[in-house]
Amino acid sequence: MKDQILIKATDMFLTLGFKSVTMDDIAAEMGISKKTIYQHYSNKDSLVKEVTLHLFETISCGIDGICAVGKSPIEELFAIKNFVLEHLKNEAASPFYQLNKYYPKIYSTLKKKQFGKMSECVLDNLNRGVQDGLFREDINVEIIGRFYFAGMNSLKDEELFPKNQFNAIEIQEHYLEYHLRGICTEKGKEKLEQLLKTNK
């Protein structure tokens, strides 16, 4: 039952937002009593924390799987973008904007975990891109990696990118292209153009 609650809560939080969904909503959706939820999760904060950890682990495992395939660094970034958007229900902004606003401690913990993952994944991607001649040799990998991470986090800011004005998928696509055009060699740009055509 605990896993079922976690799965349903994850789905509802991502669809409607961490603040918007109440314990009553989850209980009603599952056809169980709120008391049943509290037998497994002492309060909403503990459920939100568990959901964010579950999401992080799921997405991290998926990213590891993509990285293990041995795609080119540019293809890898496109595959990761598609995978993450799919698991976040294509909602890059709203749920995490609410998480940051109403559960700042949980959001801060998640951000630290994400930064650790970025250090491992994005820096490796950048280094391989340079080695393969797809990314410029003169880029500072540490700085560009942090630029990329900072930019990805800014996309979740609903004040910068209001949901009623910007499409989450489109924002992610533009950001990835923006990132790659700044670091690609001519060889990399050719690869990027091919992928942009196939991803449309």
Side-chain angles (χ1 to χ4, degrees):
M1 179 55 74
K2 185 176 183 180
D3 288 345
Q4 290 174 299
I5 295 168
L6 182 65
I7 291 165
K8 177 54 70 176
T10 301
D11 180 63
M12 292 180 73
F13 286 148
L14 288 178
T15 305
L16 302 167
F18 286 94
K19 173 66 174 174
S20 306
V21 176
T22 65
M23 299 295 251
D24 285 311
D25 293 332
I26 298 165
E29 187 72 19
M30 294 185 71
I32 61 176
S33 69
K34 194 162 64 168
K35 185 180 177 183
T36 303
I37 297 177
Y38 285 123
Q39 286 173 353
H40 300 283
Y41 299 96
S42 58
N43 52 42
K44 187 180 173 185
D45 280 29
S46 67
L47 179 56
V48 168
K49 187 176 180 180
E50 198 72 27
V51 163
T52 56
L53 183 63
H54 169 69
L55 265 175
F56 174 78
E57 294 299 336
T58 301
I59 291 172
S60 290
C61 287
I63 290 173
D64 288 343
I66 291 167
C67 293
V69 173
K71 294 177 182 285
S72 82
I74 297 175
E75 286 177 302
E76 186 177 275
L77 287 177
F78 273 87
I80 289 171
K81 174 195 63 97
N82 292 336
F83 174 81
V84 170
L85 280 174
E86 183 185 326
H87 277 74
L88 296 182
K89 296 180 157 294
N90 294 329
E91 289 292 344
S94 189
F96 291 94
Y97 177 75
Q98 285 194 14
L99 185 68
N100 185 22
K101 189 171 181 180
Y102 298 105
Y103 302 93
K105 286 184 180 177
I106 295 173
Y107 182 81
S108 177
T109 301
L110 178 65
K111 195 173 174 181
K112 284 174 187 172
K113 285 180 174 290
Q114 288 175 328
F115 183 74
K117 190 69 188 172
M118 182 283 298
S119 299
E120 170 191 321
C121 177
V122 176
L123 297 185
D124 176 67
N125 180 278
L126 288 167
N127 282 316
R128 284 189 297 110
V130 171
Q131 288 167 11
D132 294 350
L134 296 170
F135 301 157
R136 302 189 338 255
E137 288 184 3
D138 62 343
I139 64 170
N140 183 315
V141 170
E142 284 286 340
I143 292 175
I144 297 297
R146 287 166 189 259
F147 280 172
Y148 186 70
F149 179 75
M152 287 298 288
N153 274 286
S154 74
L155 303 186
K156 299 168 190 170
D157 188 334
E158 210 168 84
E159 290 175 1
L160 276 177
F161 298 102
K163 195 177 178 181
N164 62 353
Q165 191 177 347
F166 297 99
N167 176 277
I169 300 173
E170 197 176 353
I171 292 171
Q172 290 278 352
E173 288 171 350
H174 277 289
Y175 181 69
L176 181 55
E177 182 180 351
Y178 174 81
H179 166 70
L180 287 168
R181 286 198 185 281
I183 62 173
C184 277
T185 59
E186 288 306 314
K187 179 183 173 182
K189 285 176 187 172
E190 287 177 18
K191 185 74 176 172
L192 174 60
E193 294 295 344
Q194 290 170 7
L195 284 165
L196 288 172
K197 284 177 186 174
T198 57
N199 271 264
K200 281 181 180 176

